[in-house]
Short mmCIF file of all heavy atoms in Angstrom, two decimals:
data_model
loop_
_atom_site.label_atom_id
_atom_site.label_comp_id
_atom_site.label_asym_id
_atom_site.label_seq_id
_atom_site.Cartn_x
_atom_site.Cartn_y
_atom_site.Cartn_z
N PHE B 161 120.18 98.37 20.11
CA PHE B 161 120.22 97.67 21.39
C PHE B 161 119.28 96.47 21.46
O PHE B 161 119.31 95.71 22.42
CB PHE B 161 119.91 98.65 22.53
CG PHE B 161 118.61 99.39 22.37
CD1 PHE B 161 117.42 98.82 22.76
CD2 PHE B 161 118.59 100.67 21.83
CE1 PHE B 161 116.22 99.50 22.63
CE2 PHE B 161 117.41 101.36 21.68
CZ PHE B 161 116.20 100.78 22.08
N ILE B 172 116.37 80.51 19.23
CA ILE B 172 115.28 79.67 19.73
C ILE B 172 114.50 79.06 18.57
O ILE B 172 114.19 77.87 18.56
CB ILE B 172 114.34 80.49 20.64
CG1 ILE B 172 115.07 80.92 21.91
CG2 ILE B 172 113.07 79.72 20.97
CD1 ILE B 172 114.30 81.91 22.77
N SER B 286 101.95 122.71 9.77
CA SER B 286 102.01 124.07 9.25
C SER B 286 101.04 124.93 10.06
O SER B 286 100.28 124.42 10.88
CB SER B 286 101.61 124.07 7.77
OG SER B 286 100.24 123.72 7.65
N LEU B 335 97.84 128.63 22.16
CA LEU B 335 98.18 128.64 23.58
C LEU B 335 97.21 129.48 24.38
O LEU B 335 96.72 129.09 25.44
CB LEU B 335 99.61 129.15 23.77
CG LEU B 335 100.74 128.33 23.14
CD1 LEU B 335 102.08 128.99 23.42
CD2 LEU B 335 100.75 126.90 23.65
N ARG B 336 96.94 130.67 23.88
CA ARG B 336 96.01 131.58 24.58
C ARG B 336 94.62 130.99 24.66
O ARG B 336 93.98 130.99 25.73
CB ARG B 336 95.97 132.92 23.88
CG ARG B 336 95.15 133.99 24.63
CD ARG B 336 94.96 135.23 23.79
NE ARG B 336 94.05 134.98 22.66
CZ ARG B 336 93.83 135.87 21.68
NH1 ARG B 336 94.48 137.02 21.67
NH2 ARG B 336 92.98 135.59 20.70
N CYS B 383 120.22 120.64 19.49
CA CYS B 383 120.89 121.22 20.65
C CYS B 383 122.40 121.04 20.55
O CYS B 383 123.15 121.98 20.82
CB CYS B 383 120.37 120.54 21.91
SG CYS B 383 121.08 121.18 23.43
N LEU B 387 125.10 124.10 20.56
CA LEU B 387 126.02 124.27 21.67
C LEU B 387 127.47 123.92 21.32
O LEU B 387 128.41 124.62 21.71
CB LEU B 387 125.58 123.44 22.86
CG LEU B 387 124.28 123.86 23.54
CD1 LEU B 387 123.99 122.97 24.73
CD2 LEU B 387 124.35 125.32 23.99
N LYS B 393 127.36 114.89 19.11
CA LYS B 393 127.29 114.95 20.56
C LYS B 393 125.84 114.97 21.05
O LYS B 393 125.54 115.40 22.17
CB LYS B 393 128.04 116.18 21.08
CG LYS B 393 129.55 116.11 20.86
CD LYS B 393 130.27 117.28 21.51
CE LYS B 393 131.79 117.14 21.34
NZ LYS B 393 132.52 118.25 21.97
N GLU B 399 121.14 113.72 27.44
CA GLU B 399 121.30 113.58 28.89
C GLU B 399 120.98 114.90 29.59
O GLU B 399 120.29 114.94 30.61
CB GLU B 399 122.73 113.15 29.22
CG GLU B 399 123.11 111.75 28.76
CD GLU B 399 122.61 110.67 29.72
OE1 GLU B 399 122.11 111.04 30.80
OE2 GLU B 399 122.72 109.48 29.38
#
Side-chain angles (χ1 to χ4, degrees):
F161 55 84
I172 293 171
S286 67
L335 298 179
R336 186 188 71 188
C383 181
L387 293 182
K393 293 186 177 181
E399 293 279 352

